[in-house]
């Protein structure tokens, strides 16, 4: 599902909202999640899942094309863990 499809679904489920307002709501939610993760905070949406940030340390990698060793700097990566409820629904339980 694309962001635009999500906005349309919210707008059609709530006819009293204009599509622009539904888009502002989706943008606000995504911005709040992004801002919290940028501060290394955990974001948990009950019944859906949790967003966290994982630290990946620096290491020596390898260029797969040439085989040359390359230094890979440390970085932070987003991580999502689905809730038990979502996993059950996906697996038909």
């Amino acid at each position: 599902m694309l962001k635009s499809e999500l906005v349309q679904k919210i707008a059609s489920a709530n006819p009293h909202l204009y599509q622009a307002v539904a888009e502002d709501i989706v943008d606000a939610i995504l911005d709040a999640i992004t801002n919290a993760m940028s501060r290394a905070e955990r974001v948990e949406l009950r019944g859906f899942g949790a967003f966290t940030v994982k630290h990946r340390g620096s290491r020596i990698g390898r260029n797969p094309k040439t085989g040359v060793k390359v230094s890979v700097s440390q970085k932070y990566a987003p991580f999502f863990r689905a809730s038990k409820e979502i996993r059950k629904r996906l697996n038909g339980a």
Side-chain angles (χ1 to χ4, degrees), residues 44-66:
E44 183 177 339
L45 303 173
R46 297 285 170 137
F48 182 70
F51 297 91
T52 56
V53 177
K54 290 204 174 199
H55 179 260
R56 309 254 188 234
S58 60
R59 61 183 172 86
I60 301 296
R62 185 180 63 84
N63 183 332
K65 189 171 186 177
T66 63

Side-chain angles (χ1 to χ4, degrees), residues 2-24:
L2 299 174
K3 180 179 167 184
S4 59
E5 293 172 342
L6 178 62
V7 169
Q8 286 178 340
K9 198 164 207 141
I10 291 172
S12 64
N14 299 287
H16 60 282
L17 291 178
Y18 292 112
Q19 187 164 348
V21 174
E23 187 171 357
D24 290 343

Side-chain angles (χ1 to χ4, degrees), residues 2 5 22 26 31 35-36 40 45 50 61 66 69 74 79-80 90 92:
L2 299 174
E5 293 172 342
V26 171
D31 286 344
N35 290 337
L45 303 173
T66 63
K69 291 185 178 182
Q74 70 175 356
F79 181 75
F80 175 75
L90 289 175

